[in-house]
Amino acid sequence: MNVHQKKNLQQLLFVLVGLVLVNLLAYFYFERFDLTADQRYTLSKTSIAIAKKIDSPVYIDVYLDGEFPAEFKRLETETRQLLEEYHAHNSKIIFLFTNPLADASKSDQFVAELNNLGMAPTNINSTKNGKKSLIPVFPWAIARRGDKAVKIPLLVNNFGNSADENIDKSVQMLEFSITDALTKITLKDKKKIAILKGNGEISEKYMGDFLMNLKEYYRLGEFNLDSLKTDEAKTLENLKRFDLAIIAKPTEAFSDSEKYILDQYIMGGGKTMWLIDKVSIDLDSLHNEQQTAMAYPRDLQLDDLFFSYGVRINYGLVQDLLSTPITAQTPNGDIPIDWLYSPIIKSRDNHPINKNLNLVKLEFANPMDTLKNGIRKTVLLQSSAQSKAIGAPVTIGLNQFMEGIDEAEYDGKGNQIVGLLLEGAFTSAFKDRVKPVKSFKATDTGVKNKMIVISDGDIVNYLYVNKKPLNNTIDQWTQQVYSNKEFLLNSVNYLLDDSGLITIRSKDISLPLLNEKKVAAEYTYTQLLTVGLPLVILALFGVLLTFLRKRRFGR
């Protein structure tokens, strides 16, 4: 063996030893690098912490698999890559992509089972061999752990957005949707929520779905402020065992002692969510011979509390041109009627609570004003610019919008506030006042706290229209699945969230999308640049190579 061969052999051995060492280091020291500008594949600290807590296998079945148009293929790819990141942090998170339509003999049964689980398909247009067709796509996943299962929505389908915009928002929401499901499926220590009763609140029938979804995160219990009339101190002590109180559409006035208990609960850090109707009117009251009813102010005796906290709910109703029809019965069946008292609110996208939500449907909402104090206020829900507020009392007629609407009255200056987040140290509404209860020590300035006030009690009644259940949660006239449930759940999660889960909703991801108009306008130029130019360069290289070879070798 000559010197040159020995040198080559040494170099080969060095390379082999180096490869072995690199593989050993990679086995013991794992690291992934996210080179995207928006860090879309880098999980938040909250997601990583939740993933690492999982101590038994979690199986995630993803049904977004198959031959899709480009935008849905992109969503499938992004979902797969993000799940790989979860698996990299905890190998007990196992995922599998399945095409429900792959086996034609079983697809009908598979699709029926998914529909029964509330995972309806999204039909998309597809063109193949010049023929257009509708393809059902299932943008859903299910996370399973033992006998517990949680649905994971993968598609955001917001009103007014293009397919590309919805895919962009869907990718933004992927981490939240997956981490949220992992939280639900592994949660052990649940916070407690009091559902207030005793002041004519909305029936559980109409808020049942909301409560069932809350149970996935929290422990629920009914609470009556009058349960211990002779011992208000004990009532407050019992209420303080709950982390949040939900007051949903009360219809009877609160006494001073009831208000004082709630006020002191808030001063002590108790969170509250108020769903309030300040005007008494219901669609049922229009089902009479005249098809009219009087909408009159409902005095719940809560104005002093809200005034102290920094908000005023007005005795009025919001009319909005962006609204959903209601139905009226005729001999020929139900017909839609324009109904400006059912505004559908487009998300402001200004907070994790309302980020990437579809429309929120309201019914007989009241306008609100904010008052100057030290409390930070964030508008979560606001009617469209083409809306206005009318005062109460006022006569409401079922057919009042059928003879035509004067759009000049809705001059683009509407934007009535109907949902508000308040954050800060609240001042007691009973400061410098005679206290209605003497049995416990008063607190006039509260600790740092949060509350949400929504001026429509029927926001929680999202599965019913005209007291009739929606078919598959879809409004037959607007063909929309409203986001009331998501908005309410996000609101509660924000008020009670200590883990930072809700902040994942703020993650901004921007997918690079083609400008279709620009592509069409510059199609020929693009073809010449991407196809023609490489061929020209290749031809020139061939000519140059031939010339140099002839010059060197003479042939």
Side-chain angles (χ1 to χ4, degrees):
M1 184 180 294
N2 58 36
V3 175
H4 184 67
Q5 289 176 324
K6 286 183 179 180
K7 187 176 180 180
N8 286 341
L9 184 59
Q10 287 176 345
Q11 289 177 343
L12 179 61
L13 288 173
F14 280 131
V15 170
L16 291 174
V17 170
L19 288 173
V20 171
L21 289 174
V22 167
N23 278 278
L24 286 173
L25 287 171
Y27 180 80
F28 290 106
Y29 299 98
F30 165 80
E31 187 61 57
R32 290 165 67 91
F33 299 95
D34 185 354
L35 302 181
T36 57
D38 49 25
Q39 295 292 286
R40 79 182 62 158
Y41 306 120
T42 300
L43 298 180
S44 66
K45 292 180 180 178
T46 300
S47 295
I48 294 171
I50 291 172
K52 287 187 173 180
K53 285 181 182 178
I54 295 173
D55 54 6
S56 61
V58 172
Y59 299 94
I60 301 178
D61 295 314
V62 185
Y63 302 110
L64 188 64
D65 188 37
E67 295 297 322
F68 306 137
E71 62 269 17
F72 276 88
K73 203 66 183 175
R74 188 162 60 245
L75 178 59
E76 178 193 345
T77 301
E78 297 286 341
T79 303
R80 188 185 300 274
Q81 290 174 335
L82 193 62
L83 285 171
E84 287 173 353
E85 186 71 14
Y86 281 91
H87 179 75
H89 286 287
N90 190 338
S91 61
K92 289 185 173 64
I93 300 175
I94 303 161
F95 64 91
L96 175 68
F97 277 71
T98 302
N99 182 359
L101 306 177
D103 188 342
S105 63
K106 299 179 181 178
S107 61
D108 288 344
Q109 182 182 350
F110 203 157
V111 169
E113 289 175 0
L114 293 177
N115 274 306
N116 290 335
L117 292 172
M119 294 186 288
T122 296
N123 293 318
I124 56 175
N125 292 312
S126 176
T127 303
K128 192 172 183 179
N129 298 327
K131 294 183 179 180
K132 291 186 176 181
S133 60
L134 284 176
I135 299 176
V137 175
F138 291 86
W140 295 92
I142 291 183
R144 305 178 189 274
R145 187 190 192 203
D147 58 356
K148 190 172 183 180
V150 176
K151 293 185 295 184
I152 306 175
L154 303 177
L155 177 66
V156 173
N157 195 13
N158 286 350
F159 174 78
N161 287 348
S162 68
D164 284 335
E165 288 172 330
N166 277 328
I167 294 297
D168 203 349
K169 289 185 176 293
S170 300
V171 173
Q172 290 186 36
M173 292 299 297
L174 279 177
E175 183 183 345
F176 172 80
S177 298
I178 296 169
T179 302
D180 183 50
L182 295 177
T183 300
K184 291 177 183 176
I185 210 167
T186 58
L187 198 60
K188 294 178 181 178
D189 299 323
K190 295 184 177 182
K191 293 185 177 181
K192 292 183 286 187
I193 296 177
I195 312 298
L196 260 61
K197 297 292 181 181
N199 292 86
E201 285 80 5
I202 192 170
S203 167
E204 286 189 2
K205 172 184 177 182
Y206 298 116
M207 61 185 301
D209 185 73
F210 173 51
L211 297 180
M212 289 299 295
N213 280 276
L214 276 182
K215 283 183 178 179
E216 294 185 321
Y217 301 93
Y218 309 106
R219 293 169 59 190
L220 308 182
E222 287 190 6
F223 191 91
N224 194 319
L225 293 173
D226 273 347
S227 58
L228 293 170
K229 286 186 178 181
T230 59
D231 193 346
E232 290 89 349
K234 185 66 174 177
T235 301
L236 177 59
E237 182 185 332
N238 290 339
L239 183 58
K240 284 184 174 180
R241 295 174 182 172
F242 293 90
D243 302 284
L244 168 73
I246 296 177
I247 305 95
K249 197 179 179 181
T251 56
E252 299 172 9
F254 287 74
S255 68
D256 282 347
S257 60
E258 290 173 333
K259 290 193 297 182
Y260 190 49
I261 291 170
L262 283 172
D263 178 82
Q264 292 301 292
Y265 171 71
I266 292 168
M267 294 305 106
K271 310 297 189 297
T272 48
M273 187 162 75
W274 305 82
L275 315 178
I276 302 296
D277 277 354
K278 286 292 292 289
V279 175
S280 180
I281 182 67
D282 194 276
L283 285 172
D284 280 354
S285 58
L286 300 175
H287 295 161
N288 54 49
E289 190 174 339
Q290 293 78 27
Q291 295 187 324
T292 61
M294 179 66 71
Y296 58 87
R298 173 184 284 142
D299 188 4
L300 297 171
Q301 297 291 316
L302 293 173
D303 291 356
D304 53 344
L305 259 66
F306 292 135
F307 190 88
S308 177
Y309 305 150
V311 61
R312 178 172 54 230
I313 305 177
N314 297 310
Y315 292 107
L317 295 171
V318 175
Q319 292 182 356
D320 197 333
L321 293 182
L322 182 59
S323 54
T324 179
I326 59 171
T327 58
Q329 291 183 344
T330 70
N332 297 322
D334 289 350
I335 60 169
I337 296 177
D338 287 335
W339 193 244
L340 274 57
Y341 294 112
S342 294
I344 44 181
I345 310 297
K346 196 169 183 180
S347 173
R348 290 169 58 85
D349 245 13
N350 63 328
H351 193 274
I353 290 175
N354 58 20
K355 193 172 182 65
N356 291 329
L357 290 184
N358 196 20
L359 301 169
V360 172
K361 178 186 177 296
L362 305 180
E363 191 73 57
F364 295 120
N366 315 130
M368 288 196 292
D369 295 326
T370 58
L371 308 173
K372 288 185 178 180
N373 60 3
I375 300 299
R376 182 157 64 95
K377 305 169 185 71
T378 305
V379 176
L380 299 175
L381 297 175
Q382 192 173 45
S383 63
S384 77
Q386 285 71 46
S387 65
K388 70 175 183 178
I390 62 168
V394 63
T395 300
I396 305 293
L398 193 63
N399 301 316
Q400 71 181 86
F401 303 113
M402 291 186 68
E403 296 178 359
I405 300 170
D406 184 3
E407 295 190 8
E409 295 181 9
Y410 307 86
D411 55 5
K413 298 179 182 178
N415 299 128
Q416 304 293 326
I417 299 172
V418 290
L420 199 63
L421 168 67
L422 307 174
E423 297 176 282
F426 298 103
T427 299
S428 171
F430 293 87
K431 183 179 181 181
D432 301 326
R433 289 171 54 183
V434 176
K435 307 299 188 284
V437 178
K438 306 289 186 181
S439 57
F440 48 83
K441 185 179 179 180
T443 303
D444 288 338
T445 302
V447 300
K448 192 175 180 181
N449 204 348
K450 297 181 282 190
M451 74 168 62
I452 288 175
V453 182
I454 300 168
S455 57
D456 178 26
D458 285 305
I459 188 174
V460 75
N461 181 18
Y462 52 79
L463 289 186
Y464 289 82
V465 172
N466 291 9
K467 300 295 178 69
K468 297 178 182 178
L470 291 173
N471 182 21
N472 244 354
T473 73
I474 299 174
D475 187 326
Q476 63 173 319
W477 305 119
T478 63
Q479 290 301 300
Q480 293 295 312
V481 177
Y482 299 118
S483 287
N484 293 43
K485 176 175 70 176
E486 290 76 13
F487 175 82
L488 292 168
L489 290 174
N490 290 346
S491 296
V492 173
N493 288 342
Y494 180 78
L495 292 174
L496 293 179
D497 183 35
D498 295 325
S499 67
L501 174 63
I502 193 70
T503 60
I504 301 174
R505 295 182 64 89
S506 299
K507 188 173 183 179
D508 287 317
I509 293 174
S510 181
L511 297 181
L513 304 175
L514 287 177
N515 186 325
E516 294 181 3
K517 292 182 179 179
K518 188 174 181 180
V519 169
E522 301 179 4
Y523 185 73
T524 302
Y525 170 76
T526 304
Q527 277 192 318
L528 288 173
L529 186 66
T530 58
V531 180
L533 183 60
L535 291 175
V536 170
I537 293 173
L538 186 62
L540 289 174
F541 180 77
V543 171
L544 180 62
L545 184 64
T546 302
F547 172 76
L548 292 174
R549 188 176 62 187
K550 285 184 176 180
R551 185 175 178 180
R552 184 174 181 182
F553 300 107
R555 59 187 178 87

